[in-house]
């Protein structure tokens, strides 16, 4: 049979449950209870229910992962995709880096967790803050990181062309300081390139954040 299910942002999509042999369920992100798809609110606390993720499914905008609703896709690489997420109860916006299922081996997951923990302990101002590494009940593995406003160095070079020596020096000093800090922690940056040098503003000055260590 076919059923019409109300999704996030008021969209409606069609689900052929018989063909898929999977009954879509809904989740209360406040109490964690699971309910039938036809319910709209949680009988326990009145919170709006969201569609539960199936392990390995393609994440979609509006989907709730953990406590964060995915608002927009910020980028995608060989290891994972990065989304802007908004906490469903607090309204706080963060960046979520979700590992691709095909690379999420036990070794990769352990490496990302250990390096995220080490970098978080360093707390260097030029290194992207990582708040948490989460393994969801639905199978996804993701980092919760600070959400930055600005652009990467590759975009800056493409738009502005040749940068002034003083600007290059300031950027290089900050990148070098960040690399020295992670090297002291025994971590090697495996993908240093302009795409992973993010430029934002701090106290009116251009400020570097090193990404994807």
């Amino acid at each position: 049979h076919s059923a019409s299910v109300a999704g996030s942002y008021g969209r409606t999509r069609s689900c052929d449950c018989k063909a898929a042999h999977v009954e879509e369920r809904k989740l209360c992100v406040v109490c964690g209870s699971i309910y039938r798809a036809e319910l709209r609110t949680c009988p326990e606390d009145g919170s709006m229910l969201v569609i539960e993720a199936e392990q390995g499914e393609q994440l979609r905008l509006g989907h709730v992962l953990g406590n964060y609703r995915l608002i927009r896709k910020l980028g995608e690489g060989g290891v994972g995709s990065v989304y802007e997420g908004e906490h469903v109860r607090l309204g706080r916006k963060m960046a979520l880096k979700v590992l691709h299922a095909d690379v999420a081996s036990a070794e990769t997951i352990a490496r990302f967790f250990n390096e995220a923990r080490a970098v978080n302990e360093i707390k260097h101002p030029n290194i992207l803050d990582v708040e948490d590494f989460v393994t969801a009940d639905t199978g996804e593995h993701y980092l919760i990181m600070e959400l930055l406003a600005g652009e990467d160095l590759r975009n800056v070079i493409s738009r502005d062309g040749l940068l002034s020596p003083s600007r290059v020096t300031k950027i290089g000093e900050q990148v070098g300081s960040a690399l020295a800090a992670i090297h002291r922690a025994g971590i090697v940056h495996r993908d240093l390139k302009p795409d992973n040098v993010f430029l934002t503003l701090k106290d009116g000055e251009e400020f570097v954040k090193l990404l994807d260590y």
Side-chain angles (χ1 to χ4, degrees), residues 120-154:
N120 192 53
E121 291 174 352
I122 296 169
K123 295 189 181 300
H124 190 280
N126 296 118
I127 297 176
L128 183 72
D129 288 337
V130 177
E131 180 172 296
D132 203 357
F133 184 96
V134 182
T135 297
D137 293 339
T138 46
E140 298 91 352
H141 307 278
Y142 59 97
L143 293 167
I144 301 176
M145 310 176 296
E146 65 174 317
L147 182 64
L148 300 174
E151 57 186 335
D152 62 55
L153 183 56
R154 183 176 299 280

